[in-house]
Each structure stands twice: as structure tokens, then as C-alpha cells.
Amino acid sequence: MRSLRTLLLLLLLPTAFAFKQSDFKTCSQSGFCRRGRALAARAQESPSSWHSPYSIKPPEFLLLNPRQPGFTTSVHSSIHPNVKFVLDVIIHEDGIVRVRLDEENGLRKRYNEAAQWALIGEPLLSEDVIWTMKGGKAKAVYGPKKDMELVVDFNPLKVTLFRGGKEQVVLNGRGLLHMEHFRTKEDSKLTEHIEGEGQSVLQVNPAAWFEGDSQDAFWEETFSTWTDTKPKGPESLSLDITFPNHAHVYGIPQHATNLSLPSTTGPTAKYTDPFRLYNADVFEYLSDSPTSLYGSIPLMHAHSATSTVAVFNVLASETWIDIAHMEKGGVETHWISESGILDVFLLPGPTPTDVFTQYAHLTGTAPLPAHWSLGYHQCRWNYVSSDDVRGVQNRFDEEDFPVDVFWLDIEYAEDHKYFMWNKKTFPDPVEMTKDVEAVERKMVVIVDPHLKRSNDYPVYKRASELGVLVKPKSGEGEYEGWCWPGSSSWIDFFHPGSWDFWVSLFKTETIDGQWSWTESTNNIGIWNDMNEPSVFNGPEITMPKDNVHYGGWEHRDVHNINGMLFANHTFQAAEARTEPPRRPFVLTRAFYAGSQRFGAMWTGDNLGTWEHMAVGIKMVLANGVGGMPFAGADVGGFFGNPEPEMLVRWYVVGAFSPFFRAHAHIDTKRREPYLLEEPYKSLLRDILRLRYSMLPVWYTAFRETSESGVPILRPQYVMFPEDKAGFGIDDQYYIGSSGLLVKPVAQKGVKEVSVYIAEDQVYYDYFTDLAHRPKNRHITLPANLDQIPLLIRGGSIVPTRERPRRSSPLMKYDPFTLRIALDTSGNAHGEVYLDDGETYGYGRGDVVWRGFGAESKKGKGKGIGTVRISSADLAAKTQVGAYDPKNEFARSVGDVRVEKMVVLGLGKKPLSVVLDGGRELEWEFALEGGVLVVKDPAVCVVDDWAIIVKLE
């Protein structure tokens, strides 16, 4: 039952569980955004005379070694000649360019540590660069084909990346670069009266043409009832980034909008405000808006039919991004940030896959998750007791619904003191957890970042003693705000002293007399919510910007990184529970560039509406583009009571998302899948079983993304980068390299859908085996409520496990089915990756990684004469770790066999189907559709083998 305190806090919430624009700033209510947009407006009003005040001057003093990877030089500002800036331009491996600009010897230090948290290390320098200097510019030529050029214009300062003589990215081409330097209030006076000889002389501000003539929110800013004191004064950063030859831009999650980002300025503007990156706790967010949400990744891809490039603008402060699509086909963007240095990486591509890999080399990839975390997760706010959890598990078993994880929201914790169980409702937490684990399932428990300020709460007490809590603007004491427990403080994870302390809390045994979470198990997953951070009585429902973190940095400097550090250290703490460590599961709501290294995310507090279902697909795709592929949206919507039709459709969306969780608000009706009436209940059971049958596909896709950074869900432009018609499609997608193409239905009353096909290739219906050849690049598929628009691309081999089980670990020894979808040439390929799903043994080579192939040879006539279906050891070819084909894991699954093969696309009935060098196999053939089913070939997954299908 909901506590009185929770009821009071629900009333306290300024949003009242509905989106209110008045709770969050627009650009016109943000001083630095106003200044940035005003700067752009002045430039637009004077296009012929406008120029950037920044220059490298005099260029003859630039020390440039022709073979070095880059250079460092001073930058001059004509409007503030006494303020010095320093520019670094470096070319790294993969052709990545890094451009850094900072204030030199200023009154204060600008925040310059964002890259330290985002990057996995300092990128390696290129050894393949030739610099020349001529005509007021420096030019570097590099790349394997020597077709890459980086040109730095000296006056005005401009940086342009070329490929094959064609502009790819331009920095400061429109002259909007502006780094507001540190100053004193006295220095910031724009006009001054000088008395002399009876006259008053007005001194005109020489920077007014560029900066404007008013001190707009320089030293103080008020929003609603809160005042930001801005003790450092103005320090914003403006930069224009142009993609002259790329008509589509993607990325900068998280926003509820199209995958191909629409304009915010100019004649084609869809929105009036820029896209905002400022992690925020937004209840019932709009389904179509540039409003900032829970996470921020300042990465933008730009794409055309000839190339893909990206910019990674490493900023941790609040950032607004204007986008304008130009008539001639390019895109102009304007990035306006509140603080920090300029630190931009240019990722040269030239393909989407190249860009993903380049970004992964900078910030890392998503690791292989625990296999069970790819199953179905059942959650709500809240399962109210130990008996409730046991009862839900029993109902799943009684109704034959597979599930891997049960979740506990905040009401498990006494007075919302996380780690501390409410013993009235959860008297036996360890026993309850072990009851769940007894059938190879797991629990996930929420741990939020706010700590109840109470000395009987050992977590807060110890954090206070260690001095690792965020400080108020005075820099002394502990910041106090309000969240679920009432009066709360927050651990400052920028403080190194907090790291070991946080690890110690998750130990299931007491060490050195320090309190730890002994009433837990080593298998419990962790849910980090509210880590933007959410502060109920704070400005924009978050922490005041003038709060102070470790090192003296203001919260404004680090806001978008703050939530990432909480989840990252939780991941490390959960990992350190055992020796050797096992793969932990952590779900985070707030995230930043690099968060992918430490867990999954979800799209937050969505509504149970068709619009939110549809935009959730786009948001998960955008997160994949942003480098964070382990993503999903709450199935059914967090708020509301979806009708059965909507719930069935939403389960399909969830089943085809990397992270698959149903979740609901405390005020919603119970909607566990077994509670629905028929036929809806059986439809949900079938969808869950479909997800479990496809776990080999999902896990294999995760292996690939953990190596390459290419997202698990792949939109059309990623799969077919030269096909212009697919660049804006965001309601269908491919799953990894599996060849599966799905178009989930996200509208009411749909009976059929049209699936776009970018190639002249055969596609097969996953369920009926019917072959489709696109007409006018589209395939029409039936899509009644009991039908899923799911196709297999010709040329693919899809491995599945078809035996229903209660949870995914129980499938470890189950046999495989191979769907072999021949392409128009009669060939196909696919793969499956397996390991123990729990440890890091895969790094030692304890894996099974098999490649499957189907190769056709022509017969005497025009058709296929034979098809050879085979299995080969991919791990041996790629030398995974100290790989041994007879490794411990491979031996443990040595008896796992292929129990069925379904071959699609044979033109005629075979004469024979034999194991190469062995026996005749049992098979049957359906002439209609040309489908061959090979029954129990009894070949083992770990072995090399071949099966010959003779047609002539």
C-alpha cells in the first residue's frame, strides 16, 4: 500500500504527472540561448558584411612541421584583443579530427574534463599526415587514398573537412563561433561616461555589432521562483557546424521526434525552439517535441547518398542545437552551450558503419550483456510485498508465460532509504530473491541517487562522514533538496572518495565492519532512476546550477555527465560483488556519451498512447545511432491503461527492441500479460515465446555491436546508405546482420502495412514462408492483430530455439532450428554466437561462434543443381582470445544439435538430401513456395558439417 509520505510527495510534484511546458525553459527563457540565437540573427541580417572576429594572427608564426599530426597556436579576437585563446588541431587514427579551443590564462578555468569521462582513452595520433601552408591557410592531406583534406583558414578562423575535394563538415563557416570570456562585473560594462572639461563622452562598445549591446542574464538569471546566481558570469560557447552536402542529420538523443531530425529554424522549421540537451525528469513528455529528456549524447551524424560524417561535440553543460535544412541540400546547425571549452571531434566516415566504428574507438562499445537480460522483464510501481512477487511468478508459470526478471520499484525501501528493506512488506528479501532465482530468474531492484538525510540511514551517514556529498553554492556543507524520501542529499560521483564507498555498499557480506547490502544476492540487477538528477523542489525539477562538485566545478558545468557517473559506478560496484567478476545488469534513465559501456537505458515516463508507442521506436533507433544500443521503451506506457489492442501491439514493439520491459505507474490497473482476456492473452504468450525463440539472434547481434559499435537496430539509411528514398524511414528496421526486417504496427485498427524494400531481392514472410518480390520497392503484408509484419531478407540464415521454456537460462541445451532464406542467386549466410552468458570467459576464448552458409551451384539447365549447407568455426578464423575449439564452454554444449532446417526459395523438389560423406536425411518438400524441411539432421552446433541438397 502506498505510504502517506509518497502521497504527500506526489502532491508536491510540480508536474502533477503531466507535462507542463512552464516547468521547463524554452530558449527565450534561457539567457545564454537567447544570446546565441540573437548572434545568429545578427549574422543573418548582415550576410554580406558579417565575419568572424576570431583569427590565427599572424600566421607566419605558426610552427608547422609538415609530418606532424597537428598543431597548437594562439587565436586572436578582434572584439576582445586583450583576451587570448589557444587552438589545437589534431588528426588521429581512423582519420578523426579533433579541434579544441580554450581561453588562455583567463580569470578562471573553463570546464575541460568532459572528454575525460566520455572517452576510453586518449585517441592515437595519425602517422599519415602531410601539412602545407599557403595563401592564409594550413592544409593537411591524409588517408589511405590521400583523398582526405583538412583545411584551417586563418582569417577568419574556419575549419573544413574535405573528402575527394568535396566539403564534408565546416566549423565556423557562418561566423557564429563565440567563446564568452571570463570577466569581472566592472569589465562587463558596455558603456561608460567619462567626465572632462564639462563634457560627458559616451564610449561605444566596439563588440556590440557581434555580441549585442545588452548584458542579457550575464550575472544572474531568474526562472519561475528560482534565481541562478551565476558567480562566474557569462561563459557560453557558440559554434556553427555546417554539412554543405548532406541533407539528413541524425542523433543527439534523447528527443521524442523523427529519426531524421527536422528543422528548428528557417522556412521548413517544424519546431520553434532548438533541440535541447539538458538531462531532465520529464513526466508524460510530449510525443513530438525538441524538449530535452533524460539523457544527452552530443553526437550528430550527417548523411547523403555519397558519404556519412559525424561530429561529436564533447560538452557537459546545457546545450541548444538549431537545425536548418538548406534548399540546396545541406544542413546548417548552431550549437549553443552554457559553459565548457570547445572540444569537437570530426568523424570522417565515409559510410555509416565507419562512423559507428570511429565513435566506438573514442567512447567504447556496449559490452556483451548478461544473456538473461535479453529476456522479458516484468515491472510495475510497485510490487508491494514478498508475497506479491511470489504470486506474480506463480501466475507466469501457471499460465505458461516465459519471463526472466521481476523488478522492484521504490516502495520496497523503508522510507525510501535504498538498500534498506521495508520489513513489514518484505520480511524475507533474500529468501524471496532465492525463490525467484530457483527457476533461473533474476530480480532487479531500484537504487536512486537521492539519500534520505537521516542519521539512522547508514548510507547517508557514511557519505556525510566521508564528505562526498554535493555542496550548495557556498561550497560548504551539503546540498539539501527534496525527492522521494523527503529531505535528501546526493553523492558527488565526481569525488574520487565516493567510488570505493559505493562499491562497498553492494557487497553481500560485511567487510571491515562497514555497512553493506547483506540482504541481497550477487545476482540482483540494479535500476538507477531519477539520476538526471531529479529534485522535486529544484529549478526545472533538477539541481541548482550553482551547486558545487568536486574540484570546485559548478553543477552547470557537469550536469549532463552527472547521471552517467552514477550508473557507471553502480555497474562497477555490482561487477565487484564476486571474484572473478560476472556481468552485471544496470538500467539507467540519465545517460551521456560513454554510458553504453555500463548498461542499458529506457525512454522514461511515456504514456499509454499510440503516439508514444510510435515515437518510442524512433527514440530507440536514435539511441542506437548515438552509440547506446541497449535500449527500449516501457511496454504499455508508464502512464494510463492501454486497451487490449494497443497492449498487444506494444508487446510486439517490445519483443523487437533490445531491452524488453513492461512497466506501469502505481495508479494504473494491473496489466501483467496473464490478466488479459482471450484472445489477447494467448497473443501475448505467442509474442513472448517468439522473443525467446529469437534470443540467439539478439545475442549474436549484441556480440557484433560489442565489437564494431554498429547498432543492433538498423534503420534503412544504415543498411542501404546510397538509397535516398530510405533516409527518412524510421518505422521499420533490421535486427543486426540477421536479415530480419520488422515493421511494428503502432496505429489503431491496422489490417495491412506496406514495407519499403531498397533492393531487388527476394524477402520471405517469417511465419508463412511466402516469398515476396517488391513491386515499386514495396511489399504489402497482412497485419491483423494476430500477425506481425516480419520478413527474412533473401541471403540470410536465422538461428532460433523453438522449445518454450520458463526462462532463458533453461534454454542453454536446447536444439536449434535454422531458417535458410536463399537469395536470388541461391546463396545465404548467417551466424550464431554462444557463451556462458554470465562471466567474462568469452575474453579467454570460451565461446562457440559458428558461421552458416548455403552455396548453390547451377545445374545443367537454368536452375540450381545443388545447394551445399555448411557450418564453419568463425572464432578460429578471427582468433577470439586464446581460442581452442575444445574450450570449456564448447565442451559443455557439445551435444547441442540442429533439430530442423527450413530452406526457403528452392525452385523444385530435391532428389536427395544427404549429410556430406554420410547418411540420407529425412525431409519433406512443399512445392508451393519451394520450402524444404530437413528433419533432425542431428548435426551438432559446435562441429563442422555440410549437407548436400541435390536438385538434379
Side-chain angles (χ1 to χ4, degrees):
M1 187 173 181
R2 195 167 22 170
S3 68
L4 177 61
R5 178 180 296 275
T6 301
L7 286 168
L8 292 173
L9 285 167
L10 290 173
L11 294 173
L12 179 91
L13 283 175
T15 53
F17 291 119
F19 178 77
K20 290 185 179 179
Q21 181 62 67
S22 60
D23 288 332
F24 302 95
K25 289 183 180 180
T26 61
C27 180
S28 64
Q29 295 170 309
S30 170
F32 77 90
C33 187
R34 285 197 303 269
R35 298 197 299 271
R37 268 197 159 180
L39 173 65
R42 287 189 290 274
Q44 191 172 15
E45 291 167 0
S46 308
S48 59
S49 60
W50 187 264
H51 62 278
S52 173
Y54 296 90
S55 62
I56 299 173
K57 194 175 184 178
E60 57 265 23
F61 290 103
L62 175 61
L63 299 177
L64 189 60
N65 182 331
R67 302 295 302 187
Q68 69 188 19
F71 62 84
T72 300
T73 187
S74 296
V75 171
H76 172 79
S77 168
S78 62
I79 58 174
H80 295 292
N82 295 324
V83 180
K84 304 302 180 185
F85 301 91
V86 60
L87 174 73
D88 293 305
V89 178
I90 304 291
I91 299 173
H92 295 281
E93 283 192 346
D94 294 337
I96 296 171
V97 176
R98 187 177 192 178
V99 179
R100 286 165 52 100
L101 181 70
D102 196 0
E103 194 173 342
E104 188 175 23
N105 300 321
L107 291 177
R108 298 178 182 87
K109 186 178 180 181
R110 301 181 75 92
Y111 184 70
N112 62 356
E113 298 178 1
Q116 168 187 322
W117 303 109
L119 303 184
I120 56 176
E122 280 298 315
L124 297 176
L125 302 176
S126 174
E127 298 179 353
D128 180 32
V129 182
I130 300 175
W131 285 95
T132 58
M133 189 166 63
K134 183 179 180 181
K137 60 185 66 179
K139 182 171 76 171
V141 177
Y142 64 99
K145 299 179 181 179
K146 293 295 184 288
D147 60 341
M148 297 300 302
E149 291 181 356
L150 182 70
V151 176
V152 181
D153 286 271
F154 297 148
N155 190 13
L157 174 63
K158 183 174 73 168
V159 179
T160 308
L161 181 68
F162 292 86
R163 180 182 291 275
K166 197 171 184 178
E167 288 180 319
Q168 303 294 299
V169 189
V170 183
L171 306 183
N172 200 35
R174 297 160 57 204
L176 304 184
L177 170 64
H178 187 35
M179 181 174 281
E180 293 181 332
H181 64 279
F182 288 122
R183 65 199 79 187
T184 66
K185 284 187 177 181
E186 186 67 25
D187 292 337
S188 69
K189 290 182 178 179
L190 296 183
T191 60
E192 176 181 345
H193 286 83
I194 303 176
E195 301 293 336
E197 298 182 358
Q199 295 182 341
S200 177
V201 180
L202 182 67
Q203 181 173 308
V204 179
N205 173 24
W209 69 271
F210 187 78
E211 293 184 321
D213 55 7
S214 66
Q215 298 185 42
D216 184 6
F218 272 24
W219 298 97
E220 186 176 273
E221 185 169 352
T222 298
F223 175 69
S224 186
T225 60
W226 296 277
T227 298
D228 177 6
T229 59
K230 294 193 175 181
K232 295 185 293 182
E235 53 174 320
S236 73
L237 174 66
S238 163
L239 176 67
D240 61 278
I241 303 175
T242 302
F243 308 99
N245 297 293
H246 299 80
H248 291 263
V249 289
Y250 312 92
I252 57 169
Q254 184 186 37
H255 300 97
T257 189
N258 299 338
L259 179 64
S260 178
L261 297 169
S263 294
T264 60
T265 61
T268 63
K270 180 178 182 180
Y271 307 120
T272 57
D273 248 22
F275 287 99
R276 190 187 189 197
L277 294 178
Y278 188 65
N279 295 358
D281 180 359
V282 186
F283 289 99
E284 295 190 346
Y285 55 83
L286 300 176
S287 62
D288 187 3
S289 172
T291 300
S292 59
L293 294 177
Y294 309 94
S296 300
I297 299 179
L299 171 73
M300 179 179 284
H301 289 218
H303 183 71
S304 72
T306 57
S307 71
T308 311
V309 294
V311 293
F312 175 34
N313 195 3
V314 195
L315 291 156
S317 63
E318 178 187 353
T319 298
W320 301 78
I321 305 163
D322 264 323
I323 295 174
H325 290 82
M326 300 182 289
E327 288 186 12
K328 55 186 178 181
V331 177
E332 295 177 341
T333 70
H334 182 200
W335 302 60
I336 311 164
S337 302
E338 186 169 17
S339 69
I341 67 168
L342 187 153
D343 193 357
V344 178
F345 289 89
L346 310 182
L347 282 59
T351 69
T353 297
D354 291 327
V355 169
F356 291 127
T357 300
Q358 290 156 6
Y359 180 71
H361 286 171
L362 294 175
T363 68
T365 62
L368 265 172
H371 186 276
W372 57 263
S373 67
L374 303 186
Y376 173 63
H377 299 246
Q378 182 63 50
C379 182
R380 75 172 281 111
W381 178 26
N382 204 88
Y383 291 118
V384 298
S385 67
S386 298
D387 289 342
D388 194 5
V389 172
R390 291 184 175 101
V392 171
Q393 168 156 271
N394 289 339
R395 285 295 304 275
F396 267 88
D397 289 339
E398 290 167 1
E399 301 282 355
D400 291 328
F401 281 87
V403 60
D404 264 69
V405 195
F406 297 109
W407 291 55
L408 291 179
D409 211 318
I410 58 176
E411 306 306 331
Y412 83 91
E414 178 186 4
D415 293 332
H416 301 129
K417 293 182 290 189
Y418 306 106
F419 304 100
M420 312 289 288
W421 296 90
N422 183 337
K423 288 305 183 68
K424 293 180 180 179
T425 50
F426 292 91
D428 56 348
V430 174
E431 290 76 9
M432 173 198 68
T433 303
K434 289 183 176 178
D435 286 346
V436 171
E437 294 175 357
V439 285
E440 298 287 352
R441 294 187 178 124
K442 303 293 187 294
M443 295 289 301
V444 170
V445 178
I446 198 167
V447 176
D448 283 352
H450 43 266
L451 304 182
K452 181 178 176 64
R453 291 175 57 83
S454 174
N455 283 327
D456 66 353
Y457 182 24
V459 180
Y460 165 74
K461 188 172 184 292
R462 182 63 174 152
S464 181
E465 292 168 351
L466 291 171
V468 295
L469 296 170
V470 176
K471 302 180 186 302
K473 62 184 179 183
S474 65
E476 302 293 333
E478 301 166 0
Y479 168 68
E480 179 182 2
W482 277 73
C483 208
W484 293 123
S487 177
S488 304
S489 287
W490 283 257
I491 293 178
D492 182 3
F493 283 98
F494 294 92
H495 196 308
S498 69
W499 303 342
D500 288 343
F501 162 61
W502 195 247
V503 169
S504 73
L505 293 176
F506 287 81
K507 298 295 184 181
T508 56
E509 297 179 356
T510 302
I511 299 176
D512 297 330
Q514 294 294 333
W515 188 94
S516 65
W517 200 16
T518 56
E519 291 190 302
S520 65
T521 75
N522 290 327
N523 294 318
I524 286 178
I526 308 299
W527 175 13
N528 285 164
D529 195 1
M530 312 291 282
N531 52 328
E532 295 74 29
S534 176
V535 182
F536 292 163
N537 64 335
E540 301 193 87
I541 320 175
T542 193
M543 194 171 281
K545 289 182 174 180
D546 48 11
N547 276 6
V548 178
H549 289 266
Y550 179 79
W553 299 114
E554 286 188 294
H555 185 71
R556 82 179 74 251
D557 299 317
V558 300
H559 176 85
N560 286 343
I561 296 177
N562 183 79
M564 175 179 81
L565 292 193
F566 179 53
N568 291 4
H569 287 291
T570 297
F571 183 96
Q572 294 174 52
E575 185 180 56
R577 289 179 300 197
T578 60
E579 183 57 45
R582 289 186 293 176
R583 290 176 246 175
F585 173 78
V586 175
L587 180 74
T588 181
R589 191 169 73 174
F591 55 88
Y592 183 70
S595 286
Q596 70 271 12
R597 304 193 298 268
F598 301 97
M601 61 74 62
W602 91 107
T603 63
D605 296 342
N606 57 352
L607 279 73
T609 68
W610 292 100
E611 292 79 10
H612 276 81
M613 188 197 308
V615 81
I617 296 170
K618 302 174 184 183
M619 293 169 72
V620 171
L621 290 175
N623 261 80
V625 171
M628 197 158 187
F630 200 178
D634 282 343
V635 170
F638 182 57
F639 295 100
N641 295 297
E643 60 182 313
E645 179 189 353
M646 183 188 298
L647 202 55
V648 170
R649 295 297 196 189
W650 216 320
Y651 266 82
V652 173
V653 172
F656 288 93
S657 301
F659 177 57
F660 182 14
R661 182 183 76 158
H663 185 36
H665 185 265
I666 198 168
D667 288 333
T668 63
K669 297 176 182 178
R670 285 283 182 117
R671 49 169 127 113
E672 286 76 17
Y674 51 74
L675 293 177
L676 272 71
E677 300 292 334
E678 294 292 1
Y680 308 108
K681 180 164 69 173
S682 292
L683 292 176
L684 294 190
R685 184 186 296 111
D686 291 344
I687 293 165
L688 289 175
R689 287 181 174 177
L690 177 65
R691 168 66 172 215
Y692 276 75
S693 73
M694 290 184 169
L695 286 179
V697 172
W698 289 101
Y699 200 59
T700 301
F702 265 94
R703 186 220 61 82
E704 183 180 0
T705 199
S706 73
E707 294 289 333
S708 68
V710 181
I712 294 165
L713 304 190
R714 301 180 184 175
Q716 288 292 133
Y717 92 90
V718 174
M719 293 293 295
F720 302 98
E722 298 179 4
D723 177 46
K724 292 182 179 180
F727 294 170
I729 293 176
D730 54 14
D731 59 355
Q732 64 179 57
Y733 50 87
Y734 292 79
I735 300 172
S737 298
S738 69
L740 292 174
L741 171 61
V742 65
K743 183 169 184 173
V745 174
Q747 292 177 308
K748 184 177 175 61
V750 171
K751 302 298 182 184
E752 65 178 25
V753 298
S754 178
V755 180
Y756 177 77
I757 303 296
E759 58 184 337
D760 186 18
Q761 183 59 267
V762 61
Y763 279 70
Y764 303 89
D765 188 295
Y766 183 87
F767 303 100
T768 67
D769 300 330
L770 182 65
H772 294 274
R773 288 171 175 79
K775 296 179 179 178
N776 300 319
R777 292 202 164 190
H778 287 86
I779 294 173
T780 300
L781 296 177
N784 293 306
L785 194 57
D786 62 343
Q787 296 171 308
I788 300 173
L790 177 63
L791 296 169
I792 308 176
R793 184 185 185 190
S796 307
I797 299 179
V798 180
T800 60
R801 281 175 151 160
E802 302 291 338
R803 297 189 180 183
R805 300 290 184 186
R806 290 189 291 178
S807 63
S808 65
L810 300 177
M811 303 171 70
K812 180 178 180 179
Y813 302 108
D814 283 354
F816 283 86
T817 293
L818 298 182
R819 283 176 173 79
I820 301 164
L822 300 178
D823 63 15
T824 52
S825 300
N827 301 316
H829 68 275
E831 62 185 68
V832 67
Y833 172 84
L834 306 169
D835 59 31
D836 65 22
E838 295 182 355
T839 73
Y840 291 98
Y842 61 84
R844 303 187 302 269
D846 284 339
V847 305
V848 171
W849 183 18
R850 307 296 301 186
F852 304 116
E855 183 180 2
S856 294
K857 291 185 178 180
K858 288 186 177 181
K860 297 178 181 179
K862 295 182 178 180
I864 297 172
T866 62
V867 180
R868 185 177 188 271
I869 302 167
S870 62
S871 173
D873 192 342
L874 292 181
K877 295 179 179 180
T878 55
Q879 297 179 338
V880 175
Y883 178 72
D884 178 355
K886 302 296 184 182
N887 64 77
E888 182 179 353
F889 173 74
R891 292 196 305 272
S892 74
V893 295
D895 294 333
V896 174
R897 71 186 197 282
V898 176
E899 68 173 350
K900 185 167 72 170
M901 294 182 185
V902 181
V903 184
L904 310 179
L906 287 177
K908 54 187 174 182
K909 184 176 180 178
L911 300 176
S912 67
V913 180
V914 299
L915 189 64
D916 194 12
R919 57 190 168 82
E920 175 84 16
L921 300 177
E922 184 182 355
W923 54 276
E924 60 184 31
F925 181 76
L927 187 59
E928 184 179 354
V931 179
L932 169 69
V933 177
V934 182
K935 299 179 179 181
D936 197 11
V939 291
C940 292
V941 171
V942 300
D943 293 337
D944 292 347
W945 46 260
I947 293 172
I948 309 300
V949 180
K950 291 186 177 181
L951 297 154
E952 292 185 358

